[in-house]
Short mmCIF file of all heavy atoms in Angstrom, two decimals:
data_model
loop_
_atom_site.label_atom_id
_atom_site.label_comp_id
_atom_site.label_asym_id
_atom_site.label_seq_id
_atom_site.Cartn_x
_atom_site.Cartn_y
_atom_site.Cartn_z
N LEU I 162 -41.05 -76.18 172.82
CA LEU I 162 -41.07 -76.76 171.49
C LEU I 162 -42.09 -77.90 171.46
O LEU I 162 -42.71 -78.16 170.44
CB LEU I 162 -39.68 -77.31 171.06
CG LEU I 162 -38.65 -76.22 170.92
CD1 LEU I 162 -37.35 -76.92 170.60
CD2 LEU I 162 -38.97 -75.13 169.98
N ILE I 163 -42.23 -78.61 172.55
CA ILE I 163 -43.21 -79.70 172.69
C ILE I 163 -43.94 -79.64 173.98
O ILE I 163 -43.35 -79.33 175.04
CB ILE I 163 -42.46 -81.12 172.58
CG1 ILE I 163 -41.76 -81.32 171.28
CG2 ILE I 163 -43.41 -82.28 172.86
CD1 ILE I 163 -40.93 -82.56 171.18
N SER I 164 -45.25 -79.81 173.91
CA SER I 164 -46.06 -79.88 175.12
C SER I 164 -46.89 -81.10 175.08
O SER I 164 -47.58 -81.33 174.07
CB SER I 164 -47.00 -78.62 175.19
OG SER I 164 -47.77 -78.60 176.36
N GLU I 165 -46.93 -81.93 176.14
CA GLU I 165 -47.68 -83.11 176.29
C GLU I 165 -48.36 -83.30 177.51
O GLU I 165 -47.90 -82.81 178.59
CB GLU I 165 -46.75 -84.35 175.92
CG GLU I 165 -45.60 -84.38 176.95
CD GLU I 165 -44.75 -85.66 176.65
OE1 GLU I 165 -45.13 -86.52 175.79
OE2 GLU I 165 -43.61 -85.71 177.25
N PRO I 166 -49.53 -83.99 177.57
CA PRO I 166 -50.23 -84.21 178.79
C PRO I 166 -49.35 -84.94 179.83
O PRO I 166 -48.46 -85.75 179.46
CB PRO I 166 -51.44 -85.07 178.34
CG PRO I 166 -51.56 -84.83 176.91
CD PRO I 166 -50.23 -84.54 176.47
N ARG I 167 -49.63 -84.72 181.15
CA ARG I 167 -48.91 -85.36 182.17
C ARG I 167 -49.72 -86.58 182.67
O ARG I 167 -50.92 -86.53 182.80
CB ARG I 167 -48.74 -84.40 183.34
CG ARG I 167 -47.67 -84.82 184.40
CD ARG I 167 -47.64 -83.87 185.56
NE ARG I 167 -47.24 -82.53 185.05
CZ ARG I 167 -45.95 -82.10 184.98
NH1 ARG I 167 -45.05 -82.93 185.36
NH2 ARG I 167 -45.71 -80.90 184.56
N LEU I 168 -49.01 -87.69 182.80
CA LEU I 168 -49.62 -88.94 183.30
C LEU I 168 -48.96 -89.31 184.61
O LEU I 168 -47.82 -88.88 184.95
CB LEU I 168 -49.44 -90.08 182.32
CG LEU I 168 -49.81 -89.82 180.82
CD1 LEU I 168 -49.50 -91.07 179.98
CD2 LEU I 168 -51.30 -89.40 180.72
N LEU I 169 -49.57 -90.22 185.34
CA LEU I 169 -49.02 -90.80 186.52
C LEU I 169 -48.75 -92.32 186.27
O LEU I 169 -49.57 -93.04 185.94
CB LEU I 169 -49.98 -90.68 187.69
CG LEU I 169 -49.34 -91.08 189.04
CD1 LEU I 169 -48.22 -90.16 189.51
CD2 LEU I 169 -50.42 -91.15 190.17
N ALA I 170 -47.38 -92.58 186.37
CA ALA I 170 -47.02 -93.97 186.22
C ALA I 170 -47.19 -94.74 187.56
O ALA I 170 -46.61 -94.29 188.54
CB ALA I 170 -45.61 -94.10 185.69
N VAL I 171 -47.95 -95.81 187.60
CA VAL I 171 -48.14 -96.58 188.82
C VAL I 171 -48.00 -98.02 188.48
O VAL I 171 -48.15 -98.52 187.32
CB VAL I 171 -49.54 -96.29 189.39
CG1 VAL I 171 -49.79 -94.84 189.63
CG2 VAL I 171 -50.62 -96.85 188.49
N SER I 172 -47.79 -98.82 189.49
CA SER I 172 -47.73 -100.27 189.31
C SER I 172 -49.11 -100.74 188.91
O SER I 172 -50.11 -100.25 189.37
CB SER I 172 -47.35 -101.00 190.65
OG SER I 172 -47.58 -102.36 190.57
N SER I 173 -49.18 -101.81 188.02
CA SER I 173 -50.45 -102.25 187.57
C SER I 173 -51.27 -102.86 188.66
O SER I 173 -52.51 -103.02 188.54
CB SER I 173 -50.21 -103.35 186.50
OG SER I 173 -49.60 -102.73 185.37
N SER I 174 -50.65 -103.17 189.81
CA SER I 174 -51.39 -103.66 190.98
C SER I 174 -51.77 -102.59 191.99
O SER I 174 -52.43 -102.91 192.98
CB SER I 174 -50.53 -104.75 191.69
OG SER I 174 -49.31 -104.25 192.15
N HIS I 175 -51.40 -101.40 191.73
CA HIS I 175 -51.70 -100.27 192.57
C HIS I 175 -53.20 -99.92 192.50
O HIS I 175 -53.76 -99.95 191.42
CB HIS I 175 -50.86 -99.06 192.16
CG HIS I 175 -50.78 -97.93 193.24
ND1 HIS I 175 -51.83 -97.13 193.50
CD2 HIS I 175 -49.80 -97.63 194.07
CE1 HIS I 175 -51.49 -96.27 194.42
NE2 HIS I 175 -50.28 -96.57 194.80
N PRO I 176 -53.80 -99.56 193.60
CA PRO I 176 -55.26 -99.16 193.59
C PRO I 176 -55.62 -98.04 192.57
O PRO I 176 -56.66 -98.12 191.94
CB PRO I 176 -55.53 -98.68 194.97
CG PRO I 176 -54.52 -99.42 195.85
CD PRO I 176 -53.32 -99.55 195.00
N LEU I 177 -54.66 -97.10 192.34
CA LEU I 177 -54.93 -96.08 191.35
C LEU I 177 -55.00 -96.58 189.89
O LEU I 177 -55.51 -95.92 189.04
CB LEU I 177 -53.81 -94.94 191.46
CG LEU I 177 -53.82 -94.11 192.71
CD1 LEU I 177 -52.65 -93.13 192.72
CD2 LEU I 177 -55.14 -93.34 192.81
N ALA I 178 -54.39 -97.72 189.69
CA ALA I 178 -54.47 -98.33 188.33
C ALA I 178 -55.85 -98.65 187.85
O ALA I 178 -56.10 -98.78 186.61
CB ALA I 178 -53.56 -99.61 188.26
N ARG I 179 -56.74 -98.71 188.77
CA ARG I 179 -58.16 -99.01 188.37
C ARG I 179 -58.92 -97.74 188.05
O ARG I 179 -60.08 -97.84 187.60
CB ARG I 179 -58.82 -99.78 189.49
CG ARG I 179 -58.20 -101.15 189.79
CD ARG I 179 -59.12 -101.98 190.74
NE ARG I 179 -59.17 -101.42 192.12
CZ ARG I 179 -58.24 -101.70 193.03
NH1 ARG I 179 -57.30 -102.58 192.85
NH2 ARG I 179 -58.34 -101.20 194.22
N GLN I 180 -58.29 -96.55 188.27
CA GLN I 180 -59.03 -95.30 187.92
C GLN I 180 -58.80 -94.91 186.53
O GLN I 180 -57.78 -95.19 185.91
CB GLN I 180 -58.54 -94.24 188.93
CG GLN I 180 -58.80 -94.61 190.35
CD GLN I 180 -58.44 -93.43 191.33
OE1 GLN I 180 -58.45 -93.56 192.51
NE2 GLN I 180 -58.07 -92.29 190.74
#
Side-chain angles (χ1 to χ4, degrees):
L162 298 177
I163 296 176
S164 180
E165 58 179 348
R167 193 183 300 268
L168 310 178
L169 186 67
V171 304
S172 167
S173 296
S174 61
H175 195 285
L177 289 177
R179 296 191 293 270
Q180 298 184 187

